[in-house]
Amino acid sequence: MSDSVIKVENVSKQYRLGQVGTGTISHDINRWWHTIRGKENPYLKIGESNDRSVKGSSDYVWSLKDINFEVKRGEVLGIIGRNGAGKSTLLKILSRVTQPTTGNIKVRGRIAALLEVGTGFHPELSGRENVFLNGAILGMSKAEIKSKFDEIIDFSGVERYVDTPVKRYSSGMYVRLAFAVAAHLEPEILIIDEVLAVGDAEFQKKCLGKMKDVSGQGRTVLFVSHNLEAISNLCDTGILLQNGMMDISGNIEYCLKKYITSSRNANLAGISLKDRLKRTNGNVLFEEIKGIKNGNETWDFNYDDEIIVYFKTTAQKETDGLSFYMALKHPFSGEIISNIKTIITENKIRAGESLCFEITIPQRTVRPGQYGLYYVLGNKEGKIYYDVIDTNVNIPMLNINPSSIDMDENSGFLSMPFKMKKNA
């Protein structure tokens, strides 16, 4: 394994829907009979991929199928995918909560797992008692746990309730104490599922900072979350799961880009622009929006290209003037990075009249990456919205590919115009 702390080889997990085991005595006996004769389980040859959007024809489903990857010491690995992709199943297998149907997992080091609210806690025991219980499960001595106890309670922020049975804790208090225990009792490998979403914003920020500290100490973190900004900030490498199979692995930004693109393409299939509109009053509507590069329609640009976005609008009612607003949005959080606001016309627009216009963003302004765009049509004062389109939901995102320039110049979101005065 060299410096690898986790090695996953051809791991698969099969379930029979609605059943425990294979579902019938005859199937269980058949499986057992093949096993004692040293033959392959006959039910491994059947089953369908884990696609929750279709009914399927088999009762057997592969929640995971042929998963292979390695995690190195000190690495922070983000595991992403749609609901039902197999992320939680994979973490449960790595945490030895359940066994894989096929394949092998080699783990070097002590694992602390936070898979769901309350995992590993006894509801009748107090917070204090559960800290010592979890430490014992991790193989720590009482003296080691005592030395960390005050730090754990301080981080969790539940000092007032430390001697109260945890069954009386809220879900947020539960996860505060559980994370504090998992992060401070010095496991070599820390596994975190989506549970941090239960905590408030202040605690989530605190947890992400702690996970960075843990990885900086040479410990390994596996992180599953739908908070793509947190994944991007925390993780170096990633795995994208789709229908129980590993789609891609490697650089986290590449994995996130592929995930966002595939999710958006699935959502947009077969939907017309008109159907995607989020109108306010619909006096004037976007009829057509497209990116243009060298005369061709595209949303894929290079850093050295001018970015041209073409719009066609049509008035549904007579309108006194028209303004336009466009914002560039953070690809994961949706926060606005920069914006453009202008008046298209101050003249009256007749019902049925169309206006076409283009917005041009100069080359080397928007840094390489993937961005959402937000468009608004409104009255000429910009106080009444007629039509709103959000590309984080509605249409393809803007993609800027890097050029051959130095990556330091390539970083960030926007190229900041500036003037320098010497001998000031």
Side-chain angles (χ1 to χ4, degrees):
M1 289 178 67
S2 63
D3 61 342
S4 296
V5 292
I6 298 175
K7 187 171 185 179
V8 176
E9 299 175 317
N10 300 315
V11 164
S12 301
K13 182 65 177 179
Q14 185 190 70
Y15 290 104
R16 188 175 189 194
L17 300 180
Q19 305 287 349
V20 177
T22 55
T24 65
I25 293 176
S26 62
H27 282 199
D28 285 338
I29 292 174
N30 192 15
R31 174 184 285 173
W32 169 79
W33 181 241
H34 278 73
T35 301
I36 64 171
R37 291 187 298 158
K39 294 189 175 182
E40 185 181 32
N41 183 341
Y43 300 103
L44 299 183
K45 300 176 182 178
I46 61 176
E48 297 176 333
S49 65
N50 185 25
D51 187 350
R52 58 182 170 81
S53 63
V54 297
K55 182 174 178 58
S57 57
S58 174
D59 289 339
Y60 289 93
V61 171
W62 290 101
S63 182
L64 292 172
K65 186 71 172 176
D66 297 329
I67 305 296
N68 292 274
F69 65 90
E70 287 188 38
V71 186
K72 299 186 185 303
R73 188 178 308 281
E75 187 175 333
V76 184
L77 176 73
I79 303 174
I80 57 177
R82 300 170 67 189
N83 290 335
K87 306 183 297 296
S88 294
T89 301
L90 177 58
L91 293 192
K92 286 176 181 177
I93 290 174
L94 292 173
S95 306
R96 297 189 175 93
V97 173
T98 186
Q99 292 294 316
T101 305
T102 64
N104 297 301
I105 296 176
K106 298 175 183 177
V107 177
R108 181 185 293 168
R110 191 165 52 196
I111 294 178
L114 195 56
L115 302 180
E116 56 187 55
V117 176
T119 299
F121 274 25
H122 194 297
E124 299 296 335
L125 299 180
S126 68
R128 183 187 304 273
E129 291 165 333
N130 271 295
V131 171
F132 282 90
L133 174 62
N134 272 259
I137 291 171
L138 287 173
M140 300 185 71
S141 69
K142 191 173 182 179
E144 287 178 302
I145 301 168
K146 272 186 174 181
S147 69
K148 292 281 184 180
F149 184 81
D150 290 341
E151 193 177 346
I152 290 169
I153 299 304
D154 181 62
F155 185 92
S156 68
V158 298
E159 183 175 4
R160 186 172 186 179
Y161 306 99
V162 70
D163 291 310
T164 300
V166 296
K167 67 181 180 181
R168 298 198 179 104
Y169 284 15
S170 68
S171 57
M173 290 168 61
Y174 234 126
V175 80
R176 277 175 168 269
L177 186 58
F179 180 85
V181 171
H184 286 82
L185 291 183
E186 299 186 351
E188 283 81 10
I189 303 166
L190 181 60
I191 296 179
I192 308 288
D193 206 342
E194 188 61 72
V195 292
L196 295 187
V198 176
D200 54 37
E202 174 266 332
F203 184 67
Q204 289 184 40
K205 185 176 179 180
K206 205 171 172 182
C207 290
L208 294 174
K210 184 62 180 177
M211 283 192 275
K212 283 187 177 180
D213 292 343
V214 166
S215 62
Q217 296 165 8
R219 289 182 276 166
T220 304
V221 180
L222 274 65
F223 185 38
V224 166
S225 178
H226 291 289
N227 183 338
L228 302 187
E229 186 177 12
I231 289 278
S232 175
N233 290 335
L234 182 66
C235 303
D236 308 308
T237 56
I239 292 173
L240 173 60
L241 295 179
Q242 187 168 350
N243 297 337
M245 292 178 280
M246 198 160 76
D247 191 344
I248 56 171
S249 63
N251 178 270
I252 189 61
E253 297 301 326
Y254 177 67
C255 292
L256 288 169
K257 179 179 175 181
K258 177 74 182 291
Y259 173 55
I260 292 170
T261 302
S262 62
S263 298
R264 182 161 284 101
N265 290 343
N267 291 337
L268 300 181
I271 305 176
S272 68
L273 177 61
K274 187 175 181 180
D275 291 335
R276 296 182 203 124
L277 298 180
K278 180 183 176 183
R279 306 182 189 94
T280 300
N281 65 26
N283 282 7
V284 185
L285 302 180
F286 287 107
E287 291 289 336
E288 189 176 359
I289 301 174
K290 58 186 178 183
I292 297 177
K293 174 182 171 183
N294 300 327
N296 299 314
E297 184 175 345
T298 183
W299 290 104
D300 199 49
F301 294 86
N302 295 323
Y303 185 49
D304 294 322
D305 295 331
E306 279 189 332
I307 301 167
I308 300 174
V309 186
Y310 166 87
F311 300 89
K312 179 181 178 182
T313 68
T314 302
Q316 307 300 302
K317 299 178 183 178
E318 185 175 287
T319 304
D320 186 18
L322 186 65
S323 68
F324 171 77
Y325 173 86
M326 182 174 84
L328 189 73
K329 299 180 74 175
H330 189 284
F332 307 140
S333 69
E335 291 182 282
I336 291 175
I337 297 168
S338 186
N339 60 66
I340 297 167
K341 186 175 182 180
T342 186
I343 294 176
I344 299 173
T345 180
E346 294 187 355
N347 301 324
K348 282 191 176 181
I349 308 170
R350 300 184 307 275
E353 183 179 352
S354 294
L355 292 174
C356 300
F357 61 96
E358 291 180 351
I359 295 293
T360 300
I361 301 173
Q363 62 177 182
R364 296 196 173 193
T365 300
V366 182
R367 299 294 176 88
Q370 199 170 39
Y371 302 89
L373 289 169
Y374 179 74
Y375 311 108
V376 179
L377 291 174
N379 69 343
K380 61 185 178 183
E381 292 82 17
K383 295 181 179 179
I384 299 174
Y385 288 2
Y386 297 149
D387 196 6
V388 177
I389 293 183
D390 186 352
T391 59
N392 272 11
V393 177
N394 298 130
I395 60 178
M397 297 181 82
L398 173 66
N399 185 56
I400 309 295
N401 298 307
S403 64
S404 59
I405 63 171
D406 186 275
M407 282 307 294
D408 286 343
E409 192 178 339
N410 239 348
S411 61
F413 295 114
L414 298 174
S415 179
M416 183 74 72
F418 69 94
K419 294 180 180 179
M420 184 175 67
K421 183 179 179 181
K422 294 185 178 180
N423 302 319

